[in-house]
Short mmCIF file of all heavy atoms in Angstrom, two decimals:
data_model
loop_
_atom_site.label_atom_id
_atom_site.label_comp_id
_atom_site.label_asym_id
_atom_site.label_seq_id
_atom_site.Cartn_x
_atom_site.Cartn_y
_atom_site.Cartn_z
N ILE A 1 0.82 -1.19 -0.01
CA ILE A 1 0.01 0.06 -0.02
C ILE A 1 0.92 1.31 0.00
O ILE A 1 1.85 1.36 0.89
CB ILE A 1 -0.99 0.05 1.17
CG1 ILE A 1 -1.79 -1.19 1.24
CG2 ILE A 1 -1.74 1.29 1.25
CD1 ILE A 1 -2.68 -1.34 2.46
N ASP A 2 0.72 2.15 -0.94
CA ASP A 2 1.51 3.27 -1.03
C ASP A 2 0.82 4.46 -0.26
O ASP A 2 -0.31 4.48 -0.06
CB ASP A 2 1.64 3.70 -2.51
CG ASP A 2 2.41 2.76 -3.30
OD1 ASP A 2 3.49 2.23 -2.75
OD2 ASP A 2 2.15 2.51 -4.51
N ARG A 3 1.73 5.42 0.12
CA ARG A 3 1.34 6.61 0.74
C ARG A 3 0.08 7.20 0.14
O ARG A 3 0.05 7.41 -1.19
CB ARG A 3 2.39 7.60 0.93
CG ARG A 3 2.06 8.80 1.70
CD ARG A 3 3.23 9.82 1.81
NE ARG A 3 2.92 10.95 2.63
CZ ARG A 3 3.16 10.94 3.91
NH1 ARG A 3 3.95 10.13 4.47
NH2 ARG A 3 2.88 12.09 4.51
N GLY A 4 -1.00 7.59 0.89
CA GLY A 4 -2.10 8.31 0.23
C GLY A 4 -3.32 7.29 -0.17
O GLY A 4 -4.33 7.67 -0.51
N GLU A 5 -2.88 5.94 -0.24
CA GLU A 5 -3.94 4.95 -0.59
C GLU A 5 -4.69 4.54 0.55
O GLU A 5 -4.33 4.59 1.69
CB GLU A 5 -3.30 3.70 -1.29
CG GLU A 5 -2.73 4.00 -2.55
CD GLU A 5 -2.21 2.71 -3.26
OE1 GLU A 5 -1.30 2.15 -2.56
OE2 GLU A 5 -2.60 2.36 -4.32
N GLU A 6 -6.02 4.26 0.34
CA GLU A 6 -6.91 3.79 1.39
C GLU A 6 -6.71 2.35 1.67
O GLU A 6 -6.71 1.51 0.84
CB GLU A 6 -8.30 3.99 1.01
CG GLU A 6 -9.33 3.74 2.06
CD GLU A 6 -10.75 3.80 1.60
OE1 GLU A 6 -11.20 3.17 0.65
OE2 GLU A 6 -11.38 4.80 2.17
N ILE A 7 -6.53 1.95 3.02
CA ILE A 7 -6.12 0.68 3.32
C ILE A 7 -7.34 -0.32 2.96
O ILE A 7 -7.02 -1.36 2.33
CB ILE A 7 -5.83 0.57 4.85
CG1 ILE A 7 -4.58 1.40 5.21
CG2 ILE A 7 -5.75 -0.84 5.41
CD1 ILE A 7 -4.26 1.58 6.68
N LEU A 8 -8.48 0.02 3.43
CA LEU A 8 -9.59 -0.93 3.10
C LEU A 8 -9.81 -1.29 1.66
O LEU A 8 -9.97 -2.38 1.33
CB LEU A 8 -10.88 -0.29 3.75
CG LEU A 8 -10.97 -0.33 5.23
CD1 LEU A 8 -12.28 0.31 5.64
CD2 LEU A 8 -10.88 -1.74 5.82
N SER A 9 -9.80 -0.25 0.86
CA SER A 9 -9.99 -0.43 -0.66
C SER A 9 -8.97 -1.20 -1.29
O SER A 9 -9.07 -2.09 -2.14
CB SER A 9 -10.27 0.84 -1.43
OG SER A 9 -9.17 1.72 -1.27
N CYS A 10 -7.62 -0.99 -0.74
CA CYS A 10 -6.49 -1.83 -1.23
C CYS A 10 -6.54 -3.34 -0.87
O CYS A 10 -6.33 -4.17 -1.67
CB CYS A 10 -5.16 -1.15 -0.77
SG CYS A 10 -4.79 0.37 -1.56
N VAL A 11 -6.82 -3.56 0.41
CA VAL A 11 -7.00 -4.88 0.82
C VAL A 11 -8.13 -5.59 0.10
O VAL A 11 -8.13 -6.75 -0.31
CB VAL A 11 -7.24 -5.03 2.32
CG1 VAL A 11 -7.50 -6.48 2.87
CG2 VAL A 11 -5.87 -4.47 3.06
N GLN A 12 -9.36 -4.83 -0.06
CA GLN A 12 -10.39 -5.46 -0.85
C GLN A 12 -10.10 -5.86 -2.19
O GLN A 12 -10.37 -6.93 -2.69
CB GLN A 12 -11.57 -4.40 -0.77
CG GLN A 12 -12.86 -4.87 -1.41
CD GLN A 12 -13.63 -5.90 -0.63
OE1 GLN A 12 -13.64 -5.79 0.58
NE2 GLN A 12 -14.31 -6.81 -1.18
N LYS A 13 -9.29 -4.90 -2.88
CA LYS A 13 -8.88 -5.24 -4.20
C LYS A 13 -8.01 -6.44 -4.26
O LYS A 13 -8.13 -7.31 -5.19
CB LYS A 13 -8.23 -3.95 -4.83
CG LYS A 13 -7.75 -4.01 -6.22
CD LYS A 13 -7.12 -2.81 -6.75
CE LYS A 13 -6.65 -2.96 -8.15
NZ LYS A 13 -6.00 -1.72 -8.64
N VAL A 14 -7.07 -6.63 -3.38
CA VAL A 14 -6.19 -7.71 -3.48
C VAL A 14 -6.96 -8.97 -3.22
O VAL A 14 -6.79 -10.00 -3.79
CB VAL A 14 -4.95 -7.61 -2.38
CG1 VAL A 14 -4.25 -9.01 -2.16
CG2 VAL A 14 -4.04 -6.53 -2.72
N CYS A 15 -7.89 -9.01 -2.27
CA CYS A 15 -8.69 -10.17 -1.95
C CYS A 15 -9.59 -10.48 -3.10
O CYS A 15 -9.66 -11.76 -3.48
CB CYS A 15 -9.69 -9.84 -0.75
SG CYS A 15 -8.79 -9.80 0.90
N GLU A 16 -10.15 -9.63 -3.84
CA GLU A 16 -10.99 -9.86 -4.99
C GLU A 16 -10.01 -10.48 -6.26
O GLU A 16 -10.37 -11.43 -6.79
CB GLU A 16 -11.64 -8.69 -5.47
CG GLU A 16 -12.81 -8.33 -4.59
CD GLU A 16 -13.39 -6.95 -4.90
OE1 GLU A 16 -13.12 -6.29 -5.84
OE2 GLU A 16 -14.31 -6.56 -4.17
N MET A 17 -8.93 -9.82 -6.44
CA MET A 17 -7.94 -10.32 -7.40
C MET A 17 -7.46 -11.63 -7.16
O MET A 17 -7.31 -12.53 -8.10
CB MET A 17 -6.81 -9.32 -7.64
CG MET A 17 -7.17 -8.06 -8.29
SD MET A 17 -5.87 -6.75 -8.40
CE MET A 17 -4.36 -7.68 -8.41
N GLU A 18 -7.07 -11.92 -5.94
CA GLU A 18 -6.51 -13.21 -5.52
C GLU A 18 -7.46 -14.24 -5.01
O GLU A 18 -7.10 -15.42 -4.54
CB GLU A 18 -5.38 -13.04 -4.43
CG GLU A 18 -4.26 -12.12 -4.95
CD GLU A 18 -3.46 -12.78 -6.17
OE1 GLU A 18 -3.30 -14.00 -6.20
OE2 GLU A 18 -2.96 -11.94 -6.95
N GLN A 19 -8.77 -13.87 -5.07
CA GLN A 19 -9.93 -14.82 -4.65
C GLN A 19 -9.73 -15.25 -3.12
O GLN A 19 -9.74 -16.40 -2.96
CB GLN A 19 -10.18 -15.93 -5.55
CG GLN A 19 -10.60 -15.49 -6.99
CD GLN A 19 -10.89 -16.57 -8.00
OE1 GLN A 19 -10.96 -17.69 -7.49
NE2 GLN A 19 -11.02 -16.27 -9.13
N ILE A 20 -9.42 -14.29 -2.34
CA ILE A 20 -9.18 -14.59 -0.82
C ILE A 20 -10.51 -14.46 -0.23
O ILE A 20 -11.10 -13.29 -0.23
CB ILE A 20 -8.17 -13.76 -0.21
CG1 ILE A 20 -6.82 -13.89 -0.94
CG2 ILE A 20 -8.08 -13.87 1.24
CD1 ILE A 20 -5.70 -13.02 -0.56
N PHE A 21 -11.15 -15.44 0.40
CA PHE A 21 -12.39 -15.33 0.99
C PHE A 21 -12.47 -15.68 2.46
O PHE A 21 -13.49 -15.67 3.21
CB PHE A 21 -13.44 -16.19 0.29
CG PHE A 21 -13.68 -15.82 -1.12
CD1 PHE A 21 -13.10 -16.55 -2.04
CD2 PHE A 21 -14.47 -14.81 -1.45
CE1 PHE A 21 -13.26 -16.21 -3.45
CE2 PHE A 21 -14.61 -14.45 -2.72
CZ PHE A 21 -13.95 -15.14 -3.83
N LEU A 22 -11.20 -15.94 3.01
CA LEU A 22 -11.09 -16.31 4.43
C LEU A 22 -9.71 -15.96 4.88
O LEU A 22 -8.70 -16.31 4.24
CB LEU A 22 -11.28 -17.79 4.76
CG LEU A 22 -11.27 -18.30 6.10
CD1 LEU A 22 -12.41 -17.59 6.94
CD2 LEU A 22 -11.39 -19.74 6.20
N GLY A 23 -9.51 -15.13 6.04
CA GLY A 23 -8.26 -14.82 6.36
C GLY A 23 -8.27 -13.77 7.62
O GLY A 23 -9.39 -13.42 8.06
N SER A 24 -7.11 -13.30 8.06
CA SER A 24 -7.05 -12.41 9.06
C SER A 24 -5.95 -11.36 8.70
O SER A 24 -5.01 -11.76 7.90
CB SER A 24 -6.69 -13.00 10.46
OG SER A 24 -5.39 -13.76 10.37
N VAL A 25 -6.01 -10.24 9.19
CA VAL A 25 -5.06 -9.17 8.83
C VAL A 25 -4.68 -8.41 10.12
O VAL A 25 -5.40 -8.18 11.04
CB VAL A 25 -5.83 -8.13 7.88
CG1 VAL A 25 -4.97 -6.87 7.61
CG2 VAL A 25 -6.27 -8.70 6.61
N THR A 26 -3.24 -8.10 10.16
CA THR A 26 -2.76 -7.31 11.30
C THR A 26 -1.79 -6.30 10.56
O THR A 26 -1.14 -6.63 9.55
CB THR A 26 -2.05 -8.15 12.27
OG1 THR A 26 -1.03 -8.90 11.69
CG2 THR A 26 -3.00 -9.08 13.09
N ALA A 27 -1.75 -5.08 11.16
CA ALA A 27 -0.89 -4.06 10.48
C ALA A 27 -0.54 -3.04 11.46
O ALA A 27 -1.23 -2.76 12.51
CB ALA A 27 -1.53 -3.60 9.27
N LEU A 28 0.57 -2.29 11.18
CA LEU A 28 0.87 -0.97 11.74
C LEU A 28 1.10 -0.06 10.60
O LEU A 28 1.38 -0.47 9.47
CB LEU A 28 2.20 -1.20 12.53
CG LEU A 28 2.26 -2.32 13.59
CD1 LEU A 28 3.68 -2.37 14.15
CD2 LEU A 28 1.33 -1.78 14.78
N ALA A 29 0.95 1.32 10.85
CA ALA A 29 1.11 2.19 9.80
C ALA A 29 1.16 3.61 10.40
O ALA A 29 0.81 3.92 11.55
CB ALA A 29 -0.16 2.12 8.92
N ALA A 30 1.79 4.53 9.54
CA ALA A 30 1.76 5.95 9.73
C ALA A 30 0.66 6.57 8.88
O ALA A 30 0.50 6.18 7.79
CB ALA A 30 2.97 6.51 9.44
N CYS A 31 -0.13 7.38 9.38
CA CYS A 31 -1.29 7.95 8.67
C CYS A 31 -1.31 9.44 8.81
O CYS A 31 -0.79 10.02 9.80
CB CYS A 31 -2.59 7.46 9.32
SG CYS A 31 -2.69 5.64 9.47
N ASP A 32 -1.97 10.18 7.90
CA ASP A 32 -2.13 11.56 7.99
C ASP A 32 -3.70 12.00 7.89
O ASP A 32 -4.11 13.13 7.89
CB ASP A 32 -1.35 12.46 7.11
CG ASP A 32 -1.43 12.04 5.71
OD1 ASP A 32 -2.43 11.45 5.21
OD2 ASP A 32 -0.64 12.58 4.93
N HIS A 33 -4.52 10.94 7.45
CA HIS A 33 -5.99 11.24 7.33
C HIS A 33 -6.62 9.80 7.47
O HIS A 33 -6.26 8.91 6.81
CB HIS A 33 -6.33 11.77 5.90
CG HIS A 33 -7.78 11.81 5.69
ND1 HIS A 33 -8.51 12.76 6.26
CD2 HIS A 33 -8.67 10.91 5.05
CE1 HIS A 33 -9.86 12.51 5.93
NE2 HIS A 33 -9.91 11.49 5.15
N VAL A 34 -7.59 9.76 8.35
CA VAL A 34 -8.37 8.54 8.64
C VAL A 34 -9.83 8.81 8.88
O VAL A 34 -10.11 9.99 9.28
CB VAL A 34 -7.81 7.66 9.79
CG1 VAL A 34 -6.43 7.24 9.70
CG2 VAL A 34 -8.01 8.42 11.16
N VAL A 35 -10.72 7.94 8.45
CA VAL A 35 -12.14 8.05 8.76
C VAL A 35 -12.45 6.84 9.56
O VAL A 35 -12.37 5.76 9.07
CB VAL A 35 -12.88 8.14 7.47
CG1 VAL A 35 -14.41 8.35 7.79
CG2 VAL A 35 -12.55 9.43 6.63
N ILE A 36 -12.88 7.05 10.77
CA ILE A 36 -13.29 6.01 11.66
C ILE A 36 -14.86 6.00 11.78
O ILE A 36 -15.48 6.96 11.59
CB ILE A 36 -12.55 6.07 13.02
CG1 ILE A 36 -12.90 7.41 13.74
CG2 ILE A 36 -11.06 5.75 12.85
CD1 ILE A 36 -12.37 7.34 15.13
N GLY A 37 -15.37 4.77 12.03
CA GLY A 37 -16.79 4.78 12.39
C GLY A 37 -17.13 4.10 13.63
O GLY A 37 -16.63 3.20 14.02
N LEU A 38 -18.01 4.85 14.35
CA LEU A 38 -18.52 4.41 15.54
C LEU A 38 -19.97 4.03 15.46
O LEU A 38 -20.69 4.70 14.80
CB LEU A 38 -18.48 5.57 16.73
CG LEU A 38 -19.10 5.13 18.13
CD1 LEU A 38 -18.21 4.06 18.71
CD2 LEU A 38 -19.05 6.42 18.98
N TYR A 39 -20.25 2.75 15.79
CA TYR A 39 -21.52 2.21 15.60
C TYR A 39 -22.56 2.70 16.48
O TYR A 39 -22.32 2.53 17.73
CB TYR A 39 -21.59 0.68 15.52
CG TYR A 39 -22.83 0.08 15.04
CD1 TYR A 39 -23.12 0.08 13.67
CD2 TYR A 39 -23.70 -0.50 15.90
CE1 TYR A 39 -24.40 -0.38 13.20
CE2 TYR A 39 -24.97 -1.00 15.49
CZ TYR A 39 -25.33 -0.94 14.12
OH TYR A 39 -26.42 -1.46 13.68
N SER A 40 -23.63 3.27 16.10
CA SER A 40 -24.75 3.76 16.84
C SER A 40 -25.82 2.80 16.94
O SER A 40 -26.41 2.42 15.98
CB SER A 40 -25.25 5.13 16.36
OG SER A 40 -26.46 5.38 16.99
N VAL A 41 -25.94 2.03 18.14
CA VAL A 41 -27.01 1.09 18.24
C VAL A 41 -28.39 1.67 18.12
O VAL A 41 -29.23 1.04 17.44
CB VAL A 41 -26.88 0.36 19.62
CG1 VAL A 41 -28.01 -0.60 19.86
CG2 VAL A 41 -25.53 -0.30 19.81
N THR A 42 -28.56 2.82 18.55
CA THR A 42 -29.85 3.56 18.41
C THR A 42 -30.24 3.79 16.95
O THR A 42 -31.36 3.48 16.54
CB THR A 42 -29.84 4.88 19.21
OG1 THR A 42 -29.43 4.64 20.55
CG2 THR A 42 -31.22 5.56 19.18
N GLU A 43 -29.25 4.26 16.22
CA GLU A 43 -29.51 4.52 14.75
C GLU A 43 -29.33 3.37 13.87
O GLU A 43 -29.61 3.53 12.77
CB GLU A 43 -28.69 5.75 14.40
CG GLU A 43 -28.97 7.00 15.15
CD GLU A 43 -28.14 8.28 14.74
OE1 GLU A 43 -27.95 8.40 13.44
OE2 GLU A 43 -27.68 9.03 15.58
N GLN A 44 -28.69 2.35 14.39
CA GLN A 44 -28.29 1.15 13.66
C GLN A 44 -27.45 1.47 12.40
O GLN A 44 -27.83 1.01 11.25
CB GLN A 44 -29.48 0.37 13.34
CG GLN A 44 -30.11 -0.21 14.59
CD GLN A 44 -31.27 -1.23 14.21
OE1 GLN A 44 -31.62 -1.49 13.07
NE2 GLN A 44 -31.67 -1.94 15.32
N LYS A 45 -26.48 2.38 12.57
CA LYS A 45 -25.55 2.65 11.44
C LYS A 45 -24.27 3.20 12.08
O LYS A 45 -24.21 3.57 13.18
CB LYS A 45 -26.24 3.73 10.56
CG LYS A 45 -26.45 5.08 11.20
CD LYS A 45 -26.93 6.10 10.12
CE LYS A 45 -27.11 7.42 10.78
NZ LYS A 45 -27.52 8.43 9.79
N PHE A 46 -23.28 3.22 11.18
CA PHE A 46 -21.94 3.72 11.61
C PHE A 46 -21.89 5.29 11.32
O PHE A 46 -22.30 5.73 10.24
CB PHE A 46 -20.78 3.14 10.78
CG PHE A 46 -20.40 1.72 11.22
CD1 PHE A 46 -20.94 0.66 10.56
CD2 PHE A 46 -19.56 1.49 12.21
CE1 PHE A 46 -20.71 -0.66 10.91
CE2 PHE A 46 -19.26 0.24 12.67
CZ PHE A 46 -19.83 -0.89 12.02
N LEU A 47 -21.34 5.99 12.33
CA LEU A 47 -21.24 7.49 12.27
C LEU A 47 -19.83 7.75 11.98
O LEU A 47 -18.90 7.43 12.83
CB LEU A 47 -21.72 8.05 13.58
CG LEU A 47 -23.22 7.61 14.05
CD1 LEU A 47 -23.44 8.25 15.41
CD2 LEU A 47 -24.18 8.08 12.97
N PRO A 48 -19.46 8.33 10.76
CA PRO A 48 -18.12 8.47 10.46
C PRO A 48 -17.54 9.72 11.14
O PRO A 48 -18.15 10.69 11.37
CB PRO A 48 -18.11 8.76 8.84
CG PRO A 48 -19.50 9.27 8.67
CD PRO A 48 -20.44 8.58 9.75
N THR A 49 -16.28 9.66 11.58
CA THR A 49 -15.45 10.74 12.05
C THR A 49 -14.06 10.81 11.39
O THR A 49 -13.42 9.84 11.33
CB THR A 49 -15.25 10.54 13.59
OG1 THR A 49 -16.52 10.49 14.26
CG2 THR A 49 -14.48 11.64 14.22
N ALA A 50 -13.80 11.99 10.79
CA ALA A 50 -12.50 12.09 10.08
C ALA A 50 -11.60 12.74 11.12
O ALA A 50 -11.83 13.61 11.92
CB ALA A 50 -12.69 13.02 8.96
N LEU A 51 -10.32 12.17 11.07
CA LEU A 51 -9.17 12.65 11.79
C LEU A 51 -8.00 13.10 10.80
O LEU A 51 -7.69 12.29 9.92
CB LEU A 51 -8.67 11.67 12.72
CG LEU A 51 -9.67 11.03 13.81
CD1 LEU A 51 -9.17 9.92 14.44
CD2 LEU A 51 -10.13 12.24 14.63
N ASP A 52 -7.54 14.26 10.91
CA ASP A 52 -6.40 14.83 10.08
C ASP A 52 -5.22 15.08 10.93
O ASP A 52 -5.39 15.63 12.00
CB ASP A 52 -6.89 16.01 9.25
CG ASP A 52 -7.87 15.47 8.10
OD1 ASP A 52 -7.47 14.61 7.30
OD2 ASP A 52 -9.01 15.88 8.18
N GLY A 53 -3.98 14.94 10.37
CA GLY A 53 -2.77 15.20 11.05
C GLY A 53 -1.90 14.01 11.18
O GLY A 53 -2.49 12.87 11.08
N GLU A 54 -0.61 14.15 11.38
CA GLU A 54 0.12 12.92 11.43
C GLU A 54 -0.16 12.22 12.74
O GLU A 54 -0.16 12.69 13.80
CB GLU A 54 1.63 13.43 11.57
CG GLU A 54 2.18 14.12 10.30
CD GLU A 54 3.74 14.51 10.31
OE1 GLU A 54 4.32 14.01 11.26
OE2 GLU A 54 4.08 15.09 9.35
N MET A 55 -0.34 10.93 12.56
CA MET A 55 -0.53 9.94 13.63
C MET A 55 -0.04 8.60 13.29
O MET A 55 0.25 8.20 12.19
CB MET A 55 -2.06 9.95 13.84
CG MET A 55 -2.98 9.34 12.76
SD MET A 55 -4.70 9.69 12.98
CE MET A 55 -4.82 11.17 12.03
N GLU A 56 0.11 7.75 14.33
CA GLU A 56 0.47 6.40 14.18
C GLU A 56 -0.56 5.40 14.45
O GLU A 56 -1.28 5.60 15.39
CB GLU A 56 1.64 6.18 15.21
CG GLU A 56 2.27 4.74 14.99
CD GLU A 56 3.47 4.46 15.82
OE1 GLU A 56 3.79 5.42 16.71
OE2 GLU A 56 3.83 3.29 15.96
N MET A 57 -0.81 4.58 13.59
CA MET A 57 -1.80 3.46 13.72
C MET A 57 -1.07 2.40 14.47
O MET A 57 -0.18 1.73 13.95
CB MET A 57 -2.38 3.00 12.44
CG MET A 57 -3.46 1.88 12.68
SD MET A 57 -4.33 1.35 11.20
CE MET A 57 -3.04 0.96 10.10
N THR A 58 -1.33 2.29 15.79
CA THR A 58 -0.57 1.39 16.60
C THR A 58 -1.03 -0.14 16.53
O THR A 58 -0.44 -0.97 16.91
CB THR A 58 -0.61 1.79 18.10
OG1 THR A 58 -1.97 1.93 18.42
CG2 THR A 58 0.12 3.16 18.22
N GLY A 59 -2.14 -0.30 15.86
CA GLY A 59 -2.74 -1.58 15.66
C GLY A 59 -3.89 -1.58 14.72
O GLY A 59 -4.77 -0.78 14.76
N LEU A 60 -3.84 -2.62 13.77
CA LEU A 60 -4.98 -2.91 12.90
C LEU A 60 -5.19 -4.38 12.95
O LEU A 60 -4.16 -5.14 12.76
CB LEU A 60 -4.67 -2.40 11.55
CG LEU A 60 -5.80 -2.80 10.50
CD1 LEU A 60 -7.03 -1.86 10.62
CD2 LEU A 60 -5.19 -2.79 9.10
N THR A 61 -6.38 -4.84 13.22
CA THR A 61 -6.63 -6.24 13.27
C THR A 61 -7.94 -6.48 12.56
O THR A 61 -8.80 -5.56 12.77
CB THR A 61 -6.57 -6.79 14.67
OG1 THR A 61 -6.74 -8.32 14.64
CG2 THR A 61 -7.69 -6.27 15.47
N GLY A 62 -8.16 -7.46 11.82
CA GLY A 62 -9.41 -7.71 11.27
C GLY A 62 -9.49 -9.09 10.62
O GLY A 62 -8.56 -9.90 10.54
N THR A 63 -10.65 -9.31 10.03
CA THR A 63 -10.95 -10.61 9.38
C THR A 63 -11.51 -10.43 7.97
O THR A 63 -11.96 -9.34 7.61
CB THR A 63 -12.03 -11.45 10.18
OG1 THR A 63 -13.17 -10.58 10.28
CG2 THR A 63 -11.51 -11.84 11.58
N ILE A 64 -11.27 -11.47 7.13
CA ILE A 64 -11.86 -11.53 5.81
C ILE A 64 -12.71 -12.76 5.73
O ILE A 64 -12.34 -13.89 6.20
CB ILE A 64 -10.69 -11.63 4.77
CG1 ILE A 64 -9.70 -10.54 4.97
CG2 ILE A 64 -11.28 -11.69 3.37
CD1 ILE A 64 -8.37 -10.91 4.27
N ALA A 65 -14.03 -12.61 5.31
CA ALA A 65 -14.98 -13.62 5.27
C ALA A 65 -15.69 -13.50 3.97
O ALA A 65 -15.86 -12.35 3.40
CB ALA A 65 -15.90 -13.70 6.37
N ALA A 66 -16.34 -14.58 3.50
CA ALA A 66 -17.26 -14.53 2.25
C ALA A 66 -18.61 -14.02 2.70
O ALA A 66 -19.12 -14.43 3.57
CB ALA A 66 -17.20 -15.84 1.64
N LEU A 67 -19.06 -13.15 1.80
CA LEU A 67 -20.50 -12.60 1.97
C LEU A 67 -21.04 -12.38 0.50
O LEU A 67 -20.52 -11.53 -0.16
CB LEU A 67 -20.53 -11.32 2.67
CG LEU A 67 -21.97 -10.73 3.00
CD1 LEU A 67 -22.80 -11.76 3.91
CD2 LEU A 67 -21.86 -9.41 3.69
N ASP A 68 -22.04 -13.05 0.15
CA ASP A 68 -22.61 -13.00 -1.10
C ASP A 68 -21.63 -13.20 -2.31
O ASP A 68 -21.61 -12.56 -3.28
CB ASP A 68 -23.37 -11.74 -1.33
CG ASP A 68 -24.50 -11.48 -0.30
OD1 ASP A 68 -25.14 -12.51 -0.01
OD2 ASP A 68 -24.72 -10.27 0.01
N GLY A 69 -20.63 -14.20 -2.06
CA GLY A 69 -19.74 -14.48 -3.01
C GLY A 69 -18.51 -13.52 -3.19
O GLY A 69 -17.74 -13.54 -4.10
N LYS A 70 -18.49 -12.59 -2.24
CA LYS A 70 -17.32 -11.49 -2.38
C LYS A 70 -16.65 -11.55 -0.89
O LYS A 70 -17.22 -11.80 0.09
CB LYS A 70 -17.86 -10.07 -2.69
CG LYS A 70 -18.56 -9.98 -4.02
CD LYS A 70 -18.83 -8.64 -4.33
CE LYS A 70 -19.35 -8.31 -5.65
NZ LYS A 70 -19.69 -6.94 -5.94
N PRO A 71 -15.31 -11.05 -0.95
CA PRO A 71 -14.68 -10.90 0.35
C PRO A 71 -15.33 -9.71 1.12
O PRO A 71 -15.63 -8.61 0.62
CB PRO A 71 -13.30 -10.54 -0.05
CG PRO A 71 -13.13 -10.71 -1.53
CD PRO A 71 -14.49 -10.84 -2.11
N GLN A 72 -15.57 -9.94 2.42
CA GLN A 72 -16.14 -9.04 3.24
C GLN A 72 -15.08 -8.70 4.33
O GLN A 72 -14.66 -9.64 5.07
CB GLN A 72 -17.39 -9.48 3.91
CG GLN A 72 -17.96 -8.57 4.97
CD GLN A 72 -18.61 -7.34 4.30
OE1 GLN A 72 -19.14 -7.36 3.27
NE2 GLN A 72 -18.54 -6.24 5.08
N LEU A 73 -14.65 -7.48 4.45
CA LEU A 73 -13.63 -7.01 5.44
C LEU A 73 -14.30 -6.55 6.78
O LEU A 73 -15.32 -5.82 6.61
CB LEU A 73 -12.77 -5.96 4.95
CG LEU A 73 -12.21 -6.22 3.56
CD1 LEU A 73 -11.28 -5.09 3.10
CD2 LEU A 73 -11.28 -7.46 3.60
N HIS A 74 -13.67 -6.84 7.95
CA HIS A 74 -14.17 -6.29 9.15
C HIS A 74 -12.88 -6.00 9.98
O HIS A 74 -12.26 -6.98 10.48
CB HIS A 74 -15.01 -7.37 9.90
CG HIS A 74 -15.54 -6.86 11.30
ND1 HIS A 74 -16.80 -6.27 11.31
CD2 HIS A 74 -15.05 -6.81 12.38
CE1 HIS A 74 -16.97 -5.85 12.55
NE2 HIS A 74 -15.95 -6.16 13.31
N PHE A 75 -12.53 -4.69 10.06
CA PHE A 75 -11.33 -4.30 10.74
C PHE A 75 -11.61 -3.36 11.95
O PHE A 75 -12.54 -2.69 12.03
CB PHE A 75 -10.52 -3.50 9.73
CG PHE A 75 -9.81 -4.21 8.63
CD1 PHE A 75 -9.09 -3.65 7.64
CD2 PHE A 75 -9.96 -5.62 8.54
CE1 PHE A 75 -8.49 -4.33 6.60
CE2 PHE A 75 -9.37 -6.42 7.54
CZ PHE A 75 -8.67 -5.63 6.60
N HIS A 76 -10.72 -3.43 12.87
CA HIS A 76 -10.62 -2.57 13.95
C HIS A 76 -9.18 -1.94 14.05
O HIS A 76 -8.24 -2.58 13.76
CB HIS A 76 -10.83 -3.24 15.41
CG HIS A 76 -12.30 -3.80 15.42
ND1 HIS A 76 -13.36 -3.08 16.12
CD2 HIS A 76 -12.83 -4.85 14.93
CE1 HIS A 76 -14.42 -3.64 15.89
NE2 HIS A 76 -14.19 -4.89 15.30
N ALA A 77 -9.03 -0.72 14.51
CA ALA A 77 -7.76 -0.04 14.42
C ALA A 77 -7.70 0.85 15.69
O ALA A 77 -8.68 1.29 16.27
CB ALA A 77 -7.62 0.89 13.28
N SER A 78 -6.42 1.01 16.19
CA SER A 78 -6.19 1.98 17.22
C SER A 78 -5.12 2.91 16.87
O SER A 78 -4.26 2.66 16.12
CB SER A 78 -5.75 1.22 18.49
OG SER A 78 -4.67 0.29 18.29
N PHE A 79 -5.21 4.10 17.39
CA PHE A 79 -4.25 5.19 16.88
C PHE A 79 -3.64 5.82 18.20
O PHE A 79 -4.17 5.93 19.17
CB PHE A 79 -5.05 6.28 16.12
CG PHE A 79 -5.50 5.68 14.87
CD1 PHE A 79 -6.94 5.21 14.88
CD2 PHE A 79 -4.82 5.89 13.72
CE1 PHE A 79 -7.33 4.66 13.60
CE2 PHE A 79 -5.31 5.24 12.48
CZ PHE A 79 -6.64 4.72 12.53
#
């Protein structure tokens, strides 16, 4: 993943190209723009929050599973 590229879309693209439907992901990274989502149980949707500025992603963990014949990503990150 090159600087400026979105992590989720890059991993999704690799999974689709390589037909990966089951797996786990861990990573560390330096970031300058992230959009995180906090799930609102009341509204039953993710509420996005953008963060800008130099920061370190101290942990990324997640899973890859099949959903409707496509790879489905589920990640959690800490900064």
